[in-house]
Amino acid sequence: MSTEPAAPRFAPRGSTAAIEEGNRLAPKFDADGLLTAVAVDADDGTVLMVAHMNAQALALTIETGQAHYFSRSRQKLWKKGEESGHVQTLVELRVDCDQDAVVMRVRMADLPGGLPGAACHTGHRSCFFRSVPLGAAPTPDLTLTVNEPGKLFDPAAVYAAPKKTDIPHF
Amino acid sequence: MSTEPAAPRFAPRGSTAAIEEGNRLAPKFDADGLLTAVAVDADDGTVLMVAHMNAQALALTIETGQAHYFSRSRQKLWKKGEESGHVQTLVELRVDCDQDAVVMRVRMADLPGGLPGAACHTGHRSCFFRSVPLGAAPTPDLTLTVNEPGKLFDPAAVYAAPKKTDIPHF
């Protein structure tokens, strides 16, 4: 488990102009104390995962340069890779106009055998491994297409206790 | 305003395995009826914006191939570009493992004069036009860096009533 810093200190929210056009970090956390965090591959731009951060997760991400999240299902701070080894090292962190979302350009640790790192607990490189057909109103029979070649790792071999509640759940 | 379809019809949520590994679209909307939507440039992968969709916005996006969102601040369905003209046409729509987030690879309509389309209501191409320095715990004095060359359009000239409540607010 990561060491916990002192209570995170961000700038006050201030005016809309200051938030949207200024140079201070004044993040907007929602009613649950969370903002949205998107991790993309720093090299090819693939969106790897979307998750959430509370103030502490955001502060630890900034301080350590490694992605930390807050798991809504487990209601706990979570350093990506603390169980799987699939750490995400930040190349860049960006914040959006109203400061309720961040984008991290990350590099993931390689898997054993030299396979590229995988962000998804299912074993796929990206959580977004399925696409939705466009052009007609959705129905329950709409069929998703799997876009990736397959799993890069076996979740059962990586997560010590492959129970639903122990698996990082974005 | 877009015409409204019949109530969206998605697959039932089903088992975790079916949701995470199956080929049916069974989106997970949060307590407010929303999921997270990320729009990225289809050509260079730039993350343009992060916003939210309710069931109707997701269904309209799938049916029309143009991005629709639900504005939390305005509490209404919102077709991107309905006021600004900056429509987002989908090249691909992907859904994540637990189906509470989607990524859209989009092309944006060019601006007058041939400038590339801009997603952010501030006039920048991407809402994520500022980066956060890494390596130390955040403080109120932490200084963001603006990464983009500047605004591609003047919001005051694009949005008819540039009041806070009339501006699309992600």
Side-chain angles (χ1 to χ4, degrees), chain A residues 19 23 93 98 132 144 170, chain B residues 23 93 98 130 132 144 170:
Chain A
I19 292 164
N23 66 354
L93 175 65
D98 65 353
V132 182
L144 305 175
F170 316 132
Chain B
N23 66 355
L93 175 65
D98 66 352
R130 294 172 294 185
V132 182
L144 304 176
F170 316 132

Side-chain angles (χ1 to χ4, degrees), chain A residues 1-4 60 64 68 77 79 82:
Chain A
M1 190 60 200
S2 305
T3 55
E4 296 189 4
L60 280 170
T64 67
H68 291 69
L77 185 74
K79 176 183 172 182
E82 69 184 352

Side-chain angles (χ1 to χ4, degrees), chain A residues 4-26:
Chain A
E4 296 189 4
R9 296 173 62 232
F10 301 111
R13 285 283 287 172
S15 68
T16 299
I19 292 164
E20 297 191 344
E21 313 266 359
N23 66 354
R24 290 290 182 259
L25 183 61

